[in-house]
Amino acid sequence: MPHLVRLYIKQVAIGYAISAAFVTMLLYFNVANLWHLVTHVNVGWIAVLMLWVFNGIVFAGVQFALSLPRGHGEEAGSGGKQDALPVLLAEPVPIAVTPQSRHPR
């Protein structure tokens, strides 16, 4: 399996674990009376599931985005060609403009 795919799967698992801890803390500390709402309604478990999944998407994305700049064990010098790139200076190009008749609107 490619290194980037393995890294992505690992970071998604970490993000969903963080999401589970976050939703657990929301319920434990009864933020916005959430514990009462999800325990006294028949479909309260769907709200908890949605909280976990949607927060998991956010936390997994952030976790992966933060892990990319660190490199995670890539060998030094494997970044490809390190030569300086030439800088091309832009030069103006003359464009001929012909007058056109104006159409009434």
Side-chain angles (χ1 to χ4, degrees):
M1 186 178 323
H3 172 71
L4 193 60
V5 173
R6 196 171 340 119
L7 176 67
Y8 181 72
I9 292 171
K10 178 182 172 186
Q11 299 307 320
V12 167
I14 291 171
Y16 272 92
I18 293 171
S19 174
F22 179 72
V23 171
T24 302
M25 287 191 318
L26 281 177
L27 293 172
Y28 178 76
F29 291 116
N30 202 17
V31 175
N33 207 19
L34 192 59
W35 177 257
H36 177 77
L37 289 173
V38 298
T39 56
H40 289 78
V41 178
N42 293 339
V43 290
W45 63 274
I46 294 176
V48 174
L49 180 68
M50 288 175 63
L51 271 172
W52 177 66
V53 168
F54 294 137
N55 281 311
I57 291 169
V58 171
F59 289 141
V62 170
Q63 184 71 22
F64 184 63
L66 291 176
S67 71
L68 281 180
R70 286 187 245 144
H72 278 283
E74 290 188 15
E75 298 81 29
S78 65
K81 188 175 177 182
Q82 299 294 324
D83 295 340
L85 296 175
V87 177
L88 301 174
L89 300 176
E91 296 186 21
V93 178
I95 299 175
V97 178
T98 59
Q100 295 178 352
S101 63
R102 294 188 73 167
H103 298 284
R105 291 182 183 179

